[in-house]
Each structure stands twice: as structure tokens, then as C-alpha cells.
PDB file of all heavy atoms in Angstrom:
ATOM      1  N   ILE K   1      25.736 -20.222  62.547  1.00 78.00           N
ATOM      2  CA  ILE K   1      24.885 -21.226  62.478  1.00 78.00           C
ATOM      3  C   ILE K   1      25.758 -22.607  62.622  1.00 78.00           C
ATOM      4  O   ILE K   1      25.134 -23.601  63.057  1.00 78.00           O
ATOM      5  CB  ILE K   1      24.159 -21.286  61.104  1.00 78.00           C
ATOM      6  CG1 ILE K   1      23.148 -22.408  61.077  1.00 78.00           C
ATOM      7  CG2 ILE K   1      25.183 -21.576  59.985  1.00 78.00           C
ATOM      8  CD1 ILE K   1      22.061 -22.210  61.953  1.00 78.00           C
ATOM      9  N   ASP K   2      27.108 -22.485  62.384  1.00 76.00           N
ATOM     10  CA  ASP K   2      27.902 -23.595  62.609  1.00 76.00           C
ATOM     11  C   ASP K   2      27.892 -24.112  64.072  1.00 76.00           C
ATOM     12  O   ASP K   2      28.099 -25.301  64.316  1.00 76.00           O
ATOM     13  CB  ASP K   2      29.320 -23.311  62.257  1.00 76.00           C
ATOM     14  CG  ASP K   2      29.409 -23.068  60.793  1.00 76.00           C
ATOM     15  OD1 ASP K   2      28.687 -23.665  60.011  1.00 76.00           O
ATOM     16  OD2 ASP K   2      30.360 -22.416  60.285  1.00 76.00           O
ATOM     17  N   VAL K   3      27.646 -23.092  65.001  1.00 80.00           N
ATOM     18  CA  VAL K   3      27.624 -23.561  66.444  1.00 80.00           C
ATOM     19  C   VAL K   3      26.536 -24.512  66.672  1.00 80.00           C
ATOM     20  O   VAL K   3      26.647 -25.677  67.200  1.00 80.00           O
ATOM     21  CB  VAL K   3      27.423 -22.314  67.352  1.00 80.00           C
ATOM     22  CG1 VAL K   3      27.138 -22.727  68.820  1.00 80.00           C
ATOM     23  CG2 VAL K   3      28.632 -21.415  67.317  1.00 80.00           C
ATOM     24  N   VAL K   4      25.293 -24.176  66.160  1.00 86.00           N
ATOM     25  CA  VAL K   4      24.098 -25.020  66.313  1.00 86.00           C
ATOM     26  C   VAL K   4      24.226 -26.380  65.568  1.00 86.00           C
ATOM     27  O   VAL K   4      23.942 -27.357  66.100  1.00 86.00           O
ATOM     28  CB  VAL K   4      22.809 -24.269  65.859  1.00 86.00           C
ATOM     29  CG1 VAL K   4      21.592 -25.230  65.911  1.00 86.00           C
ATOM     30  CG2 VAL K   4      22.586 -23.068  66.639  1.00 86.00           C
ATOM     31  N   LEU K   5      24.852 -26.253  64.343  1.00 87.00           N
ATOM     32  CA  LEU K   5      25.094 -27.420  63.524  1.00 87.00           C
ATOM     33  C   LEU K   5      26.116 -28.372  64.311  1.00 87.00           C
ATOM     34  O   LEU K   5      25.758 -29.625  64.248  1.00 87.00           O
ATOM     35  CB  LEU K   5      25.588 -27.056  62.229  1.00 87.00           C
ATOM     36  CG  LEU K   5      24.654 -26.417  61.201  1.00 87.00           C
ATOM     37  CD1 LEU K   5      25.406 -25.972  59.905  1.00 87.00           C
ATOM     38  CD2 LEU K   5      23.469 -27.267  60.824  1.00 87.00           C
ATOM     39  N   GLY K   6      27.050 -27.808  64.879  1.00 88.00           N
ATOM     40  CA  GLY K   6      27.937 -28.730  65.644  1.00 88.00           C
ATOM     41  C   GLY K   6      27.317 -29.429  66.698  1.00 88.00           C
ATOM     42  O   GLY K   6      27.486 -30.567  67.062  1.00 88.00           O
ATOM     43  N   LEU K   7      26.498 -28.707  67.598  1.00 90.00           N
ATOM     44  CA  LEU K   7      25.830 -29.207  68.668  1.00 90.00           C
ATOM     45  C   LEU K   7      24.754 -30.318  68.214  1.00 90.00           C
ATOM     46  O   LEU K   7      24.619 -31.337  68.757  1.00 90.00           O
ATOM     47  CB  LEU K   7      25.008 -28.094  69.518  1.00 90.00           C
ATOM     48  CG  LEU K   7      25.825 -27.057  70.155  1.00 90.00           C
ATOM     49  CD1 LEU K   7      24.979 -26.071  70.788  1.00 90.00           C
ATOM     50  CD2 LEU K   7      26.749 -27.845  71.287  1.00 90.00           C
ATOM     51  N   GLU K   8      24.066 -30.008  67.024  1.00 91.00           N
ATOM     52  CA  GLU K   8      23.128 -31.059  66.472  1.00 91.00           C
ATOM     53  C   GLU K   8      23.874 -32.261  66.006  1.00 91.00           C
ATOM     54  O   GLU K   8      23.284 -33.299  66.048  1.00 91.00           O
ATOM     55  CB  GLU K   8      22.325 -30.363  65.371  1.00 91.00           C
ATOM     56  CG  GLU K   8      21.352 -29.346  65.798  1.00 91.00           C
ATOM     57  CD  GLU K   8      20.624 -28.667  64.690  1.00 91.00           C
ATOM     58  OE1 GLU K   8      21.052 -28.743  63.578  1.00 91.00           O
ATOM     59  OE2 GLU K   8      19.532 -28.150  64.929  1.00 91.00           O
ATOM     60  N   ALA K   9      25.132 -32.092  65.612  1.00 92.00           N
ATOM     61  CA  ALA K   9      25.949 -33.260  65.125  1.00 92.00           C
ATOM     62  C   ALA K   9      26.406 -34.122  66.345  1.00 92.00           C
ATOM     63  O   ALA K   9      26.925 -35.287  66.092  1.00 92.00           O
ATOM     64  CB  ALA K   9      27.091 -32.748  64.351  1.00 92.00           C
ATOM     65  N   GLY K  10      26.203 -33.677  67.609  1.00 92.00           N
ATOM     66  CA  GLY K  10      26.563 -34.436  68.689  1.00 92.00           C
ATOM     67  C   GLY K  10      27.670 -33.899  69.589  1.00 92.00           C
ATOM     68  O   GLY K  10      28.083 -34.497  70.569  1.00 92.00           O
ATOM     69  N   ALA K  11      28.055 -32.601  69.374  1.00 94.00           N
ATOM     70  CA  ALA K  11      29.091 -31.958  70.166  1.00 94.00           C
ATOM     71  C   ALA K  11      28.449 -31.725  71.524  1.00 94.00           C
ATOM     72  O   ALA K  11      27.268 -31.454  71.685  1.00 94.00           O
ATOM     73  CB  ALA K  11      29.560 -30.662  69.606  1.00 94.00           C
ATOM     74  N   ASP K  12      29.279 -31.718  72.555  1.00 93.00           N
ATOM     75  CA  ASP K  12      28.810 -31.453  73.888  1.00 93.00           C
ATOM     76  C   ASP K  12      28.894 -30.045  74.341  1.00 93.00           C
ATOM     77  O   ASP K  12      28.205 -29.589  75.268  1.00 93.00           O
ATOM     78  CB  ASP K  12      29.583 -32.337  74.950  1.00 93.00           C
ATOM     79  CG  ASP K  12      29.422 -33.886  74.713  1.00 93.00           C
ATOM     80  OD1 ASP K  12      28.491 -34.389  75.101  1.00 93.00           O
ATOM     81  OD2 ASP K  12      30.420 -34.434  73.959  1.00 93.00           O
ATOM     82  N   ASP K  13      29.766 -29.304  73.692  1.00 91.00           N
ATOM     83  CA  ASP K  13      29.906 -27.882  74.097  1.00 91.00           C
ATOM     84  C   ASP K  13      30.660 -27.172  72.930  1.00 91.00           C
ATOM     85  O   ASP K  13      31.119 -27.893  72.087  1.00 91.00           O
ATOM     86  CB  ASP K  13      30.759 -27.746  75.391  1.00 91.00           C
ATOM     87  CG  ASP K  13      30.575 -26.401  76.067  1.00 91.00           C
ATOM     88  OD1 ASP K  13      29.806 -25.451  75.510  1.00 91.00           O
ATOM     89  OD2 ASP K  13      31.052 -26.266  77.306  1.00 91.00           O
ATOM     90  N   TYR K  14      30.812 -25.889  73.012  1.00 89.00           N
ATOM     91  CA  TYR K  14      31.643 -25.143  72.060  1.00 89.00           C
ATOM     92  C   TYR K  14      32.261 -24.022  72.673  1.00 89.00           C
ATOM     93  O   TYR K  14      31.929 -23.441  73.770  1.00 89.00           O
ATOM     94  CB  TYR K  14      30.782 -24.685  70.795  1.00 89.00           C
ATOM     95  CG  TYR K  14      30.005 -23.433  71.148  1.00 89.00           C
ATOM     96  CD1 TYR K  14      30.582 -22.096  70.661  1.00 89.00           C
ATOM     97  CD2 TYR K  14      28.771 -23.475  71.704  1.00 89.00           C
ATOM     98  CE1 TYR K  14      29.846 -20.961  70.997  1.00 89.00           C
ATOM     99  CE2 TYR K  14      28.083 -22.230  71.925  1.00 89.00           C
ATOM    100  CZ  TYR K  14      28.617 -21.136  71.652  1.00 89.00           C
ATOM    101  OH  TYR K  14      27.958 -19.864  71.871  1.00 89.00           O
ATOM    102  N   VAL K  15      33.418 -23.517  72.101  1.00 89.00           N
ATOM    103  CA  VAL K  15      34.119 -22.355  72.518  1.00 89.00           C
ATOM    104  C   VAL K  15      34.387 -21.510  71.311  1.00 89.00           C
ATOM    105  O   VAL K  15      34.767 -21.935  70.171  1.00 89.00           O
ATOM    106  CB  VAL K  15      35.475 -22.836  73.096  1.00 89.00           C
ATOM    107  CG1 VAL K  15      36.408 -21.568  73.543  1.00 89.00           C
ATOM    108  CG2 VAL K  15      35.338 -23.742  74.278  1.00 89.00           C
ATOM    109  N   THR K  16      34.153 -20.157  71.537  1.00 86.00           N
ATOM    110  CA  THR K  16      34.256 -19.153  70.408  1.00 86.00           C
ATOM    111  C   THR K  16      35.715 -18.694  70.356  1.00 86.00           C
ATOM    112  O   THR K  16      36.440 -18.510  71.390  1.00 86.00           O
ATOM    113  CB  THR K  16      33.345 -17.947  70.759  1.00 86.00           C
ATOM    114  OG1 THR K  16      32.050 -18.410  70.825  1.00 86.00           O
ATOM    115  CG2 THR K  16      33.357 -16.965  69.602  1.00 86.00           C
ATOM    116  N   LYS K  17      36.213 -18.594  69.161  1.00 85.00           N
ATOM    117  CA  LYS K  17      37.553 -18.131  68.741  1.00 85.00           C
ATOM    118  C   LYS K  17      37.388 -16.540  68.541  1.00 85.00           C
ATOM    119  O   LYS K  17      36.445 -16.115  67.975  1.00 85.00           O
ATOM    120  CB  LYS K  17      38.135 -18.812  67.587  1.00 85.00           C
ATOM    121  CG  LYS K  17      38.372 -20.237  67.784  1.00 85.00           C
ATOM    122  CD  LYS K  17      38.570 -20.940  66.490  1.00 85.00           C
ATOM    123  CE  LYS K  17      39.786 -20.524  65.742  1.00 85.00           C
ATOM    124  NZ  LYS K  17      40.052 -21.341  64.582  1.00 85.00           N
ATOM    125  N   PRO K  18      38.511 -15.753  68.963  1.00 84.00           N
ATOM    126  CA  PRO K  18      39.623 -16.196  69.616  1.00 84.00           C
ATOM    127  C   PRO K  18      39.221 -16.489  71.161  1.00 84.00           C
ATOM    128  O   PRO K  18      38.448 -15.891  71.745  1.00 84.00           O
ATOM    129  CB  PRO K  18      40.602 -14.926  69.573  1.00 84.00           C
ATOM    130  CG  PRO K  18      39.580 -13.781  69.446  1.00 84.00           C
ATOM    131  CD  PRO K  18      38.484 -14.436  68.676  1.00 84.00           C
ATOM    132  N   PHE K  19      39.993 -17.450  71.710  1.00 85.00           N
ATOM    133  CA  PHE K  19      39.743 -17.851  73.073  1.00 85.00           C
ATOM    134  C   PHE K  19      40.890 -17.688  73.992  1.00 85.00           C
ATOM    135  O   PHE K  19      42.122 -17.657  73.546  1.00 85.00           O
ATOM    136  CB  PHE K  19      39.333 -19.296  73.166  1.00 85.00           C
ATOM    137  CG  PHE K  19      40.186 -20.318  72.424  1.00 85.00           C
ATOM    138  CD1 PHE K  19      41.363 -20.699  72.861  1.00 85.00           C
ATOM    139  CD2 PHE K  19      39.746 -20.681  71.143  1.00 85.00           C
ATOM    140  CE1 PHE K  19      42.149 -21.548  72.262  1.00 85.00           C
ATOM    141  CE2 PHE K  19      40.565 -21.587  70.446  1.00 85.00           C
ATOM    142  CZ  PHE K  19      41.775 -22.009  70.909  1.00 85.00           C
ATOM    143  N   ASP K  20      40.645 -17.467  75.354  1.00 84.00           N
ATOM    144  CA  ASP K  20      41.623 -17.368  76.297  1.00 84.00           C
ATOM    145  C   ASP K  20      42.024 -18.820  76.687  1.00 84.00           C
ATOM    146  O   ASP K  20      41.211 -19.735  76.902  1.00 84.00           O
ATOM    147  CB  ASP K  20      41.172 -16.592  77.544  1.00 84.00           C
ATOM    148  CG  ASP K  20      42.224 -16.457  78.632  1.00 84.00           C
ATOM    149  OD1 ASP K  20      43.048 -15.609  78.578  1.00 84.00           O
ATOM    150  OD2 ASP K  20      42.270 -17.395  79.434  1.00 84.00           O
ATOM    151  N   GLY K  21      43.344 -19.003  76.759  1.00 86.00           N
ATOM    152  CA  GLY K  21      43.872 -20.512  77.106  1.00 86.00           C
ATOM    153  C   GLY K  21      43.204 -20.959  78.356  1.00 86.00           C
ATOM    154  O   GLY K  21      42.887 -22.184  78.383  1.00 86.00           O
ATOM    155  N   ALA K  22      43.221 -20.154  79.393  1.00 87.00           N
ATOM    156  CA  ALA K  22      42.596 -20.623  80.700  1.00 87.00           C
ATOM    157  C   ALA K  22      41.109 -20.997  80.600  1.00 87.00           C
ATOM    158  O   ALA K  22      40.683 -21.932  81.254  1.00 87.00           O
ATOM    159  CB  ALA K  22      42.787 -19.469  81.674  1.00 87.00           C
ATOM    160  N   VAL K  23      40.425 -20.178  79.790  1.00 86.00           N
ATOM    161  CA  VAL K  23      38.897 -20.484  79.638  1.00 86.00           C
ATOM    162  C   VAL K  23      38.815 -21.925  78.875  1.00 86.00           C
ATOM    163  O   VAL K  23      37.967 -22.714  79.246  1.00 86.00           O
ATOM    164  CB  VAL K  23      38.289 -19.410  78.797  1.00 86.00           C
ATOM    165  CG1 VAL K  23      36.769 -19.700  78.455  1.00 86.00           C
ATOM    166  CG2 VAL K  23      38.163 -18.132  79.727  1.00 86.00           C
ATOM    167  N   LEU K  24      39.588 -22.035  77.786  1.00 91.00           N
ATOM    168  CA  LEU K  24      39.528 -23.341  77.184  1.00 91.00           C
ATOM    169  C   LEU K  24      39.843 -24.431  78.010  1.00 91.00           C
ATOM    170  O   LEU K  24      39.105 -25.563  78.077  1.00 91.00           O
ATOM    171  CB  LEU K  24      40.562 -23.251  75.969  1.00 91.00           C
ATOM    172  CG  LEU K  24      40.626 -24.651  75.066  1.00 91.00           C
ATOM    173  CD1 LEU K  24      39.226 -24.860  74.478  1.00 91.00           C
ATOM    174  CD2 LEU K  24      41.678 -24.510  74.097  1.00 91.00           C
TER     175      LEU K  24
END
């Protein structure tokens, strides 16, 4: 739910951990 909360707070995008450095 933190993903949606972050977007609602004004974030433009999100990346899921663990992430690949090239993707980030």
C-alpha cells in the first residue's frame, strides 16, 4: 500500500526493491 501512498503524496514513479542498477 506504500506504493499507492507514495504516488498519492506526489511521487512521479516508483521502483521495487531489490532493483537492478541499470533499471534504476
Side-chain angles (χ1 to χ4, degrees):
I1 188 63
D2 291 333
V3 171
V4 175
L5 290 175
L7 293 171
E8 289 177 342
D12 299 279
D13 201 354
Y14 81 93
V15 175
T16 303
K17 298 164 64 176
F19 49 78
D20 179 89
V23 171
L24 178 63

